[in-house]
Structures are given as C-alpha cells and as structure tokens.
Amino acid sequence: GKGPIKLFGRIAPAFKGLGYGMLMISFLVVIYYNMIIAWTIYYTFAGFASELPWTYCGTGNLTSRDCFQRDQEQVCFNASRDDTFWDKKCTSVSDVCDHFGMTEAAERDDTDRLQCNNGSMDILLNRVYPRVSPSEDYFKRTMLGLEPDSSWSNMGGLKWELVLCLAAAWTIVCLCLIKGVQSSGKVVYFTALFPYLVLVILLIRGLTLDGAYDGIVFYVVPTAEKMANLGKIGVWSAAATQIFYSLGPSFGGLITLSSYNKFTNNCHRDAILIAFANCGTSIFAGFVIFSIIGFMAKQADLPVDEVIKGGPGLAFIA
C-alpha cells in the first residue's frame, strides 16, 4: 500500500506535489480538530460539578450582561411584576429601557410582562437587546475567555485550563498511534461506535424538551426563503466545507488508511458505505442539535433562526 505522496508520484512525477499538499492540509486540520478535542475534555471535567455551570447565568465577571435564562427571569417576575432578569440580577424594566435609550411602555405583552417604547412603538424585551443563553455565554466567555472587544488584533492571553486540555488531547493522539496505525484500528471500534450511542441518548432527551418540535420543523421543512438561498454561493460553500471536514476527501487520510487494506479488498463498496454513513450521521446529528436549539428558542422566546449562530461551537452551545 502507498500513501498519498508515493501514490501520486507513481501516477506521474509531476503529481507528487499533490501528495505533499494533502500532507500539509492534514497537518493544519489536525491542529484544528485537536483544539475541538481539547474543548471536549474541558467540558468533560466541567460536567463533574453538582450543577452544570452552563445551566444558569452566573454572577461573576465572566458572565455577560445580556445572559438570559427563563427560570431566573420567572423568579424576578414573581418577586415583582415590574422586574426582569438582566445584568446578572433582577432589574426593573424601566432601568433596562433607560439603558438602551427607550422608555417603559404603558402596555404589557401577552404574558403580562412590561415592554419598552422607542418613541413610536412598543418593543418586546427580547427585541430590545440580543439575549444570550447561559450555554452560549459559558462557551464564549468562561471557556474561551472572549470579551466584547476580542478580535484578531486583540485575542487576549492563554487560558491555562485550555492549554492543559490541549496537551491532554495531543497525548491521547500519541498514545493511540505510538504502536503504529494498526493499533489505532482497535481504538476505532470504540471511538467510531460510542458517539452513536451518545447521539441516540441526546436525541431521546432532546425530543422530551419543550420546543423540540419547532427546532426539528425548522431543520427539515423547506421554506421559500431557504429554497431561494440555494442560488447563493454561500450555501454551497458551507455544504462543501461540511463534506470536506466530515468525510475528508482530498485530505490524504482516507488514502493512507486504505493503503493498509488487503489487495483484494472491495474498495468501491467501502467508499460508498463510508460516504453514506458519513452523510447519514451528519443528518442524524442535525436532529439532535435542532431539537435542543428548539428548546433554547422556547426559553429565550425567540425564533429558532435567531437563537444561535452556526460554527464549530454549535454542538457545545446546544
């Protein structure tokens, strides 16, 4: 069996650069993936707390002002019908409206909550400022340490907890490969099957949450707006990115692993099976994620598409 470097070199000497390009791509992607594994390790240890730290909005400096949790808001409302939860504590609605340059409205909404008025119309509190769920706030502020002014020119310092988790992630990779690729084959029996068990458990839990139906409907039901987006390059770019990062074509990894197969192995069967299994897993994971996002939308009293932005942290936030 040949790896990508020798394989393309055997096809044509001029193609040898393709093999080196795949090697470089794999090197960069491994750095990215191991960072995600580090996040997973961080959440694993954080989950041992008696109460998950992303269940409610905290009161410390790492919690953002706009963090919102429905149960905490209900406690504030029960204490005073003129209060809401904002800035990590029970705050009068008039103070919230004043902060954003508005006045307290005379009329209440359908749930008997006070509203703000911008001078021309009444505005629901969830439209006055962008509410942030406790899970998103924990991911961005507590774990990543991002600040409102964080940017490429102001990335902040290192978080020693994430540094240790990243070191642990690389250690795990080294232990899996220290005896060669053959030893990793045994590890794959666990690493490939265990996530499916976790996804099934999370799906069952997600389907029992209030609002899960709305999230799944948003995920699977096409709308005129979604169909119109098919004509935009950004949609197809995102789809291609998903396939490249989940299936790994042109990364060299599939070629390297398949080179350890027997010469008589049915590669066409394996290629089709892996492609369908990969796409099927992605679709199944979408049901898991959007059932929970639907619950988050219900809690924040917002449409599903406004609850959270996509990205590598979507699974951690949901």
Side-chain angles (χ1 to χ4, degrees):
K2 305 293 183 183
I5 296 178
K6 291 186 178 180
L7 173 65
F8 286 102
R10 291 284 294 272
I11 295 176
F15 290 171
K16 198 171 184 179
L18 292 176
Y20 285 107
M22 289 183 176
L23 179 64
M24 180 58 64
I25 291 175
S26 296
F27 173 74
L28 296 175
V29 171
V30 162
I31 296 175
Y32 167 80
Y33 275 152
N34 258 23
M35 191 68 250
I36 295 180
I37 294 175
W39 294 351
T40 304
I41 296 173
Y42 182 97
Y43 268 80
T44 300
F45 284 101
F48 283 112
S50 57
E51 181 181 270
L52 295 177
W54 52 85
T55 303
Y56 300 102
C57 297
T59 57
N61 295 329
L62 293 177
T63 302
S64 67
R65 180 191 62 188
D66 297 332
C67 184
F68 178 86
Q69 206 276 342
R70 176 61 64 184
D71 293 338
Q72 291 175 297
E73 189 274 339
Q74 187 66 47
V75 171
C76 295
F77 181 77
N78 291 339
S80 173
R81 295 173 64 251
D82 297 336
D83 286 357
T84 187
F85 184 83
W86 182 70
D87 197 14
K88 298 174 280 189
K89 63 182 183 296
C90 293
T91 307
S92 65
V93 175
S94 60
D95 290 343
V96 177
C97 297
D98 289 341
H99 180 83
F100 292 97
M102 303 181 190
T103 59
E104 182 182 308
E107 300 291 334
R108 293 177 179 265
D109 64 12
D110 296 337
T111 61
D112 203 29
R113 265 69 172 179
L114 285 171
Q115 306 175 86
C116 293
N117 188 286
N118 63 359
S120 59
M121 60 182 295
D122 293 346
I123 302 177
L124 296 173
L125 285 179
N126 62 350
R127 298 294 183 181
V128 173
Y129 64 95
R131 289 175 172 176
V132 180
S133 67
S135 57
E136 182 177 1
D137 197 69
Y138 181 86
F139 175 76
K140 292 182 177 180
R141 298 294 298 271
T142 303
M143 190 190 75
L144 297 182
L146 297 178
E147 298 291 342
D149 60 345
S150 295
S151 63
W152 285 107
S153 59
N154 181 30
M155 292 185 290
L158 295 175
K159 288 182 63 70
W160 65 268
E161 301 96 331
L162 284 180
V163 172
L164 291 179
C165 291
L166 183 59
W170 279 107
T171 301
I172 292 173
V173 172
C174 291
L175 292 176
C176 291
L177 299 177
I178 196 169
K179 292 185 178 180
V181 176
Q182 290 87 346
S183 64
S184 68
K186 300 176 181 178
V187 178
V188 168
Y189 283 110
F190 174 78
T191 59
L193 298 177
F194 181 71
Y196 286 97
L197 174 63
V198 175
L199 285 175
V200 171
I201 295 173
L202 291 177
L203 178 62
I204 296 174
R205 172 55 179 159
L207 292 177
T208 63
L209 298 174
D210 186 25
Y213 177 78
D214 296 332
I216 293 177
V217 167
F218 176 82
Y219 176 52
V220 299
V221 176
T223 62
E225 182 182 358
K226 293 178 182 177
M227 298 300 292
N229 287 335
L230 293 177
K232 298 180 181 180
I233 188 64
V235 173
W236 296 101
S237 174
T241 301
Q242 165 66 17
I243 289 297
F244 274 112
Y245 276 98
S246 61
L247 184 59
S250 304
F251 281 14
L254 294 175
I255 296 176
T256 301
L257 293 175
S258 63
S259 68
Y260 290 90
N261 283 328
K262 295 179 181 179
F263 184 79
T264 57
N265 184 71
N266 190 338
C267 292
H268 289 98
R269 179 202 61 196
D270 290 350
I272 295 174
L273 179 63
I274 291 173
F276 275 94
N278 168 77
C279 294
T281 301
S282 298
I283 294 172
F284 179 66
F287 282 96
V288 178
I289 294 296
F290 278 91
S291 65
I292 300 175
I293 290 179
F295 166 73
M296 295 171 63
K298 193 79 171 182
Q299 289 287 301
D301 194 22
L302 290 171
V304 176
D305 59 338
E306 295 183 16
V307 175
I308 193 174
K309 295 181 180 179
L314 179 60
F316 293 91
I317 296 172

